[in-house]
Amino acid sequence: MASVVGSQAIISGTFSIINQSQALSCFPRVKVVHTSAKVHGQIYIPEINWMLMVLCIAVTVGFRDTKHMGNASGLAVITVMLVTTCLTSLVMMLCWHRPPALALAFFVFFGSIEALYFSASLTKFLDGAWVPLLLALILVAVMFVWHHTTVKKYEFDLH
């Protein structure tokens, strides 16, 4: 049951991030299907769904061991938590207008705990934890190249 809930969260999160990246011209155009007329943001992206399926099968066949898959997902989860703590600290200062000392205290308290978990996850790097980092680097490269070329095309068209 936990796997079903977790996979659904990953799929929904991926759809949302891809949709937002497209809006910022940081991702190639893909078909976005709005699945509800009443609920805003409920979307489905067929191409991304197929890519996720292929990646899941590739990881499962490639690892053939739940220990390695656990190492990979553990590093991915703790990295998300660490990034969320960093961004929450920024939101506290820039959007909520809280004192920087409060944001720093929040970051130091939660960030230090998460940094410990992150460093522990990095010890499992060769045992499967490299997969989410590799996938993240590939995605960042695609987004950077797409955004850079979109900006250059706009500048060319403007000229």
Side-chain angles (χ1 to χ4, degrees):
M1 292 301 286
S3 297
V4 171
V5 171
S7 65
Q8 187 60 45
I10 289 171
I11 292 168
S12 298
T14 302
F15 290 170
S16 178
I17 289 170
I18 296 297
N19 192 37
Q20 291 171 11
S21 296
Q22 274 188 335
L24 296 171
S25 299
C26 291
F27 198 81
R29 290 282 166 209
V30 290
K31 181 181 178 183
V32 177
V33 178
H34 295 270
T35 58
S36 174
K38 297 178 182 177
V39 180
H40 177 71
Q42 195 169 2
I43 59 172
Y44 170 70
I45 306 174
E47 295 93 341
I48 301 301
N49 198 44
W50 280 98
M51 288 176 62
L52 286 172
M53 181 193 70
V54 169
L55 283 172
C56 287
I57 291 171
V59 167
T60 303
V61 169
F63 280 151
R64 294 186 181 143
D65 185 8
T66 56
K67 176 185 168 197
H68 294 299
M69 286 189 277
N71 292 338
S73 66
L75 182 64
V77 168
I78 195 61
T79 302
V80 167
M81 290 173 64
L82 193 57
V83 169
T84 301
T85 297
C86 294
L87 294 176
T88 301
S89 299
L90 285 174
V91 167
M92 288 174 76
M93 288 187 307
L94 300 176
C95 298
W96 299 343
H97 305 291
R98 300 290 181 232
L102 180 65
L104 182 63
F106 174 84
F107 176 75
V108 168
F109 179 75
F110 289 105
S112 61
I113 295 169
E114 291 163 359
L116 287 172
Y117 281 115
F118 182 77
S119 64
S121 293
L122 283 179
T123 62
K124 307 290 185 185
F125 185 79
L126 297 176
D127 292 329
W130 57 271
V131 171
L133 294 178
L134 178 66
L135 292 174
L137 287 174
I138 291 170
L139 186 61
V140 165
V142 166
M143 292 173 72
F144 176 77
V145 168
W146 187 265
H147 182 70
H148 179 73
T149 55
T150 302
V151 168
K152 289 297 180 188
K153 181 185 177 295
Y154 175 75
E155 289 173 353
F156 178 79
D157 290 345
L158 198 61
H159 181 26

